[in-house]
Each structure stands twice: as structure tokens, then as C-alpha cells.
Amino acid sequence: MPDRESLDGDQLLLVLNALANPHRLRIIAALADGTNYVSQLARDLQLSRPLLHMHLQRLEAAGLVEGHIEVSDDGKAMRYYAVTDFAFGVDAAAIAEAARTLTKSEPTGRTKGK
Amino acid sequence: MPDRESLDGDQLLLVLNALANPHRLRIIAALADGTNYVSQLARDLQLSRPLLHMHLQRLEAAGLVEGHIEVSDDGKAMRYYAVTDFAFGVDAAAIAEAARTLTKSEPTGRTKGK
DNA sequence: TTCACCTGTCAAGATTTTCTGACAGGTAAC
DNA sequence: GTTACCTGTCAGAAAATCTTGACAGGTGAA
């Protein structure tokens, strides 16, 4: 397990958003038990496959899980996902630091872009 | 500063949801610089007062900030907010642990309630 | 071929969240 | 009185998120 990471504002926000959902917390918990492929994971968690797909992409975009194709013995291509070694601490000081590099919805010169 | 807290699933989710917003990160950052009252904070952050009010409530519900009424010299009642001493770590193991006590959107016996 | 799996995508509806403008009340100062 | 602050709330629009069902493709096995 790596040392505690230091994320910039946008990264932190991306991660927090990825974690702020019960399904996604369960997905991480399930993958922490061991790597798994999409369809099986969907059955385990009782989620529709398209829904799980979307949640996995959100988690992967935040760098919390990683997927890779693996060809099974009988030639089927399966996408296996595993959790990454992420670890970070959250307190007021860390947030104050991160907030300085936030590019979204700034008071001036907003990057919003409609 | 207190030791790293250990939150149950629902608490953790509440906190993560509270933090998963750029405005709210900025609010915490601003309050980390020093306590402040609502109207002034709204001007500093360039947010409408009703909007800030909503965000503050979300943060307070998660236990990240605390507000109290303070009567100024000239008799006006102002609501001052300050950050609390929260601190917690996030990694796959912590999430796996917390996920076990999640009550929302469970596979069976959902608590959804419409 | 048909079946049972796997993968991925899309459109569109349902639900939440975010945000604003308008309104209510209060005090002190001019 | 009016003005200038402070507080709080509400309804409703706007935007983002979540979720499902249907469709596309692929493989190997019976």
C-alpha cells in the first residue's frame, strides 16, 4: 500500500464524486475482495449491466479501479476489474489546500462553459 | 486535532456527498481561514444567499461545519459558521468496511421509501 | 443453427441536485 | 418614516445524475 496521495482540487473532486454513491462504494468493496468481471459483478451486486458499466467508468475515470481484458480458457473476452492502491486523508487543511487549485465554478473567469 | 474517525457506511456516504461539490469545498476552505457569518461568506464566495444556505446545511448535516447565533454589538443576530475538527482516511479497506453497514439501496429489503 | 454466455452502446425516462428570485421577519441608524 | 443590514423560507426552473430496456457485436458448445 502506497503512501497517502496528495491530489489537486479537480482530482480530489473527481474522486469524491466517484465515492459519493452507495452503489459505487459497494462495487469497490466487492472488488476489494478480489478481482471480478463485469457480468458476474452485476449479478453479485444485483445491478443491471449498463448501470454497473456506467458506475465502473466513473470509478475508473477517478483512478479508483482499473479494468483489463482477459481471454478465458474457452476464448471469451472478459473485462476484469480490480481496485487500485489509492489512499488519502481528508481534513479541513487538506481541503483548503486542494480548493486553491479548483478550476470549476470559480468566482471570476469561470470555466463553466455553459 | 482529533484522531482519524471511523464512520459507518451511511455516515461516510453523507460526508462524501457533502464534500463532492466545488462550492462546498470552497466553503470549507473559506471557513478554515476563520469563522464567518452567512451574508459575508456569500459575498466572499460570490454565491447567492439561499444557495449558500443550502450548502451550509448539507455540510452541517454531515458534521463538517457548525453554526451558532451570535449577537453583534449593535444587536443584530448573525449566524457564524466554523469548521469542525474532522479527519478521516480513505482507502479500499476502509470503504469495504464501511460498505458493510450501508442501509441504502440494498439488494434486498431496500430502505428507499419511494 | 440455436443456445448461453461474454462485451459494448444508445435513447429516453425518472429522480436528484443545483440555483435563482421573491417573499417573510428582525434590529439599528438616519 | 426609510434605509441598510441581518436572518430565514418557499416555489419552481435548470441542470446533472441515475436507471432501464433494447440493440449491436463476439465466442464456444450442443
Side-chain angles (χ1 to χ4, degrees):
Chain A
M1 43 201 78
D3 224 347
R4 189 151 261 112
E5 307 160 40
S6 182
L7 309 156
D8 67 56
D10 292 343
Q11 258 307 119
L12 177 62
L13 192 55
L14 190 64
V15 170
L16 289 173
N17 261 299
L19 293 176
N21 178 287
H23 288 331
R24 292 197 284 269
L25 290 185
R26 282 216 188 73
I27 291 170
I28 290 176
L31 291 178
D33 275 353
T35 187
N36 205 349
Y37 64 95
V38 184
S39 288
Q40 185 55 47
L41 198 53
R43 281 188 292 267
D44 291 352
L45 297 174
Q46 309 223 92
L47 295 178
S48 73
R49 210 163 45 71
L51 182 56
L52 175 59
H53 187 266
M54 185 269 272
H55 284 312
L56 283 171
Q57 291 219 315
R58 227 135 150 37
L59 288 170
E60 187 161 32
L64 301 176
V65 305
E66 261 172 356
H68 65 276
I69 299 287
E70 211 166 292
V71 181
S72 64
D73 292 341
D74 61 353
K76 279 170 191 161
M78 345 260 283
R79 175 167 292 276
Y80 278 82
Y81 274 95
V83 290
T84 61
D85 272 359
F86 65 90
F88 58 94
V90 180
D91 57 22
I95 290 174
E97 173 60 27
R100 296 171 48 212
T101 61
L102 274 176
T103 64
K104 301 198 172 193
S105 301
E106 276 172 336
T108 329
R110 28 175 67 48
T111 323
K112 261 282 196 68
K114 186 185 176 190
Chain B
M1 43 202 82
D3 226 347
R4 186 151 263 110
E5 307 160 40
S6 181
L7 308 156
D8 68 55
D10 292 344
Q11 257 308 117
L12 176 62
L13 192 54
L14 190 64
V15 171
L16 289 172
N17 261 298
L19 292 177
N21 179 287
H23 288 330
R24 292 197 285 270
L25 290 185
R26 282 216 188 74
I27 292 170
I28 291 177
L31 291 178
D33 275 352
T35 187
N36 205 348
Y37 65 94
V38 185
S39 288
Q40 185 55 47
L41 198 52
R43 281 189 291 267
D44 292 353
L45 298 174
Q46 309 223 93
L47 296 178
S48 72
R49 211 163 42 72
L51 183 55
L52 175 59
H53 187 265
M54 184 270 271
H55 284 311
L56 282 171
Q57 292 219 313
R58 229 142 148 38
L59 288 170
E60 186 160 34
L64 301 177
V65 306
E66 260 172 359
H68 66 276
I69 299 285
E70 212 166 292
V71 180
S72 64
D73 292 342
D74 59 352
K76 280 170 189 160
M78 346 260 282
R79 176 167 292 274
Y80 278 83
Y81 275 95
V83 291
T84 61
D85 272 359
F86 65 90
F88 58 94
V90 180
D91 58 21
I95 290 174
E97 172 62 25
R100 295 171 49 212
T101 61
L102 275 177
T103 64
K104 302 200 170 190
S105 300
E106 275 172 337
T108 330
R110 30 172 67 47
T111 325
K112 261 282 197 65
K114 184 193 175 194

